[in-house]
């Protein structure tokens, strides 16, 4: 399987705001490989280092040490990000825009030719099931519809890799189901999907492989089916055991 994303000995440090500490280590000695066409779940509690890792992949922050590559290109090179679609956890769009207008704006950022832009808008709106609401202002959308509009903008440049930060956060069961269906369709098209989530039931359903981080360190990584068999537990139980969580009586 061709490697889409590779991380080798990644370390990310930040200046610490705590007294007596000059730096805070967000990610330490992380190694990961994600293959083409995989749906990969990137899991961990708050503060585990997931967002810091994604920020490196997206070129938002430089690694302190180690390397990260997308399609064999160092993520610090701008060309590496041309084949990525990104959906942040919190989507902030101009709510007075319609879905069509939003997508034309992002198509312009990617310098997509006008003739191709209209074809791409039609395709992604149908994929995320927003074609019927394409001329409505985004401020009239439900939370689930706004999330799908965010997925549409992440797809406008026809990326080969989707990086999604909590794509089902705050959605009701129907909204989560629709996002799950979209991810499965993208996989069937050969796209690679790398996403973080706290919805472990969703992850167990849609992911081929997962990695679990805790305090910046990789605790386990592998195929979901193999982990479930190895631990004789569901993904939520595995997650809680690996991060050392114990319930109070």
């Amino acid at each position: 399987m061709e490697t889409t994303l590779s991380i080798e000995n990644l370390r990310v440090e930040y200046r610490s705001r705590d007294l007596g500490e000059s730096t805070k280590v967000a990610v330490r000695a992380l190694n990961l490989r994600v293959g083409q066409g995989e749906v990969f779940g990137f899991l961990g509690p708050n503060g585990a280092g997931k967002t810091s890792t994604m920020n490196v992949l997206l070129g938002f922050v430089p690694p302190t040490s180690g390397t990260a590559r997308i399609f064999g290109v160092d993520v610090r090179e701008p060309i590496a990000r041309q084949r990525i679609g990104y959906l942040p956890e919190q989507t902030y769009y101009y709510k007075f825009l319609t879905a069509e207008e939003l997508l034309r704006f992002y198509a312009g950022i990617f310098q997509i030719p006008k003739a191709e832009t209209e074809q791409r808008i039609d395709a992604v709106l149908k994929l995320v099931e927003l074609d019927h609401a394409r001329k409505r202002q985004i401020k009239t959308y439900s939370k689930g519809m706004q999330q799908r509009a965010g997925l549409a903008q992440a797809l406008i440049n026809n990326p080969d890799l989707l990086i999604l930060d909590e794509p089902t956060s705050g959605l009701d069961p129907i909204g989560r189901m629709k996002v799950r269906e979209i991810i499965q369709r993208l996989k069937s098209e050969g796209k690679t999907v790398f996403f973080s989530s706290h919805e472990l039931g969703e992850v167990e359903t849609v992911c081929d492989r997962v990695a679990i981080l805790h305090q910046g360190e990789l605790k386990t990584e592998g195929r979901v089916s193999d982990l479930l068999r190895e631990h004789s537990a569901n993904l939520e139980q595995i997650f809680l055991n690996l991060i050392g969580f114990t319930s109070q009586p």
Side-chain angles (χ1 to χ4, degrees):
M1 183 185 298
E2 183 180 344
T3 299
T4 295
L5 184 160
S6 63
I7 297 172
E8 297 179 1
N9 294 318
L10 181 67
R11 183 179 181 90
V12 182
E13 296 178 358
Y14 295 106
R15 288 185 179 179
S16 177
R17 296 180 179 178
D18 297 332
L19 291 175
E21 290 187 34
S22 59
T23 61
K24 176 179 175 60
V25 179
V27 181
R28 62 186 79 221
L30 177 61
N31 291 278
L32 279 181
R33 290 190 181 274
V34 179
Q36 181 181 351
E38 279 194 303
V39 178
F40 193 95
F42 197 46
L43 314 178
N46 292 333
K50 305 187 302 298
T51 298
S52 294
T53 302
M54 287 186 171
N55 284 342
V56 169
L57 294 174
L58 293 161
F60 296 160
V61 299
T64 304
S65 62
T67 59
R69 292 182 174 87
I70 293 173
F71 309 109
V73 180
D74 193 297
V75 294
R76 288 170 286 196
E77 299 291 333
I79 192 173
R81 297 188 289 279
Q82 292 179 354
R83 296 168 66 186
I84 298 177
Y86 171 55
L87 176 67
E89 180 178 1
Q90 298 293 333
T91 55
Y92 297 102
Y93 302 127
Y94 294 115
K95 300 297 180 71
F96 57 83
L97 294 178
T98 67
E100 282 184 337
E101 292 167 340
L102 175 74
L103 295 177
R104 286 195 189 100
F105 173 75
Y106 279 93
I109 292 175
F110 283 103
Q111 299 181 332
I112 301 172
K114 285 188 177 181
E116 186 180 343
T117 291
E118 297 309 311
Q119 294 174 357
R120 290 297 306 156
I121 289 174
D122 289 343
V124 297
L125 286 177
K126 287 176 183 175
L127 176 65
V128 302
E129 298 181 15
L130 284 178
D131 193 46
H132 68 285
R134 60 192 298 156
K135 295 189 182 297
R136 281 173 49 190
Q137 291 181 320
I138 293 172
K139 67 182 180 181
T140 69
Y141 284 9
S142 67
K143 168 68 174 176
M145 292 173 71
Q146 289 185 21
Q147 197 75 342
R148 282 183 278 141
L151 273 171
Q153 70 79 21
L155 292 166
I156 193 63
N157 61 321
N158 195 22
D160 295 305
L161 169 64
L162 272 295
I163 296 179
L164 313 177
D165 193 356
E166 298 287 346
T168 59
S169 175
L171 299 185
D172 63 18
I174 294 175
R176 291 200 302 272
M177 179 190 68
K178 287 185 178 292
V179 171
R180 186 168 68 236
E181 289 175 350
I182 292 166
I183 290 174
Q184 294 285 20
R185 279 183 234 160
L186 294 171
K187 174 182 168 63
S188 71
E189 294 176 5
K191 308 287 189 186
T192 304
V193 182
F194 181 90
F195 75 98
S196 69
S197 178
H198 288 113
E199 302 285 350
L200 298 183
E202 299 287 323
V203 170
E204 188 172 325
T205 301
V206 304
C207 288
D208 300 304
R209 290 193 301 131
V210 298
I212 298 177
L213 267 67
H214 183 47
Q215 296 179 344
E217 296 182 351
L218 181 64
K219 292 299 183 182
T220 193
E221 178 268 326
R223 296 193 65 83
V224 173
S225 56
D226 292 342
L227 292 175
L228 299 183
R229 183 174 61 254
E230 178 185 343
H231 292 268
S232 299
N234 63 31
L235 192 58
E236 181 175 299
Q237 292 168 325
I238 295 170
F239 177 90
L240 294 174
N241 289 339
L242 287 173
I243 67 172
F245 176 81
T246 54
S247 60
Q248 298 297 320

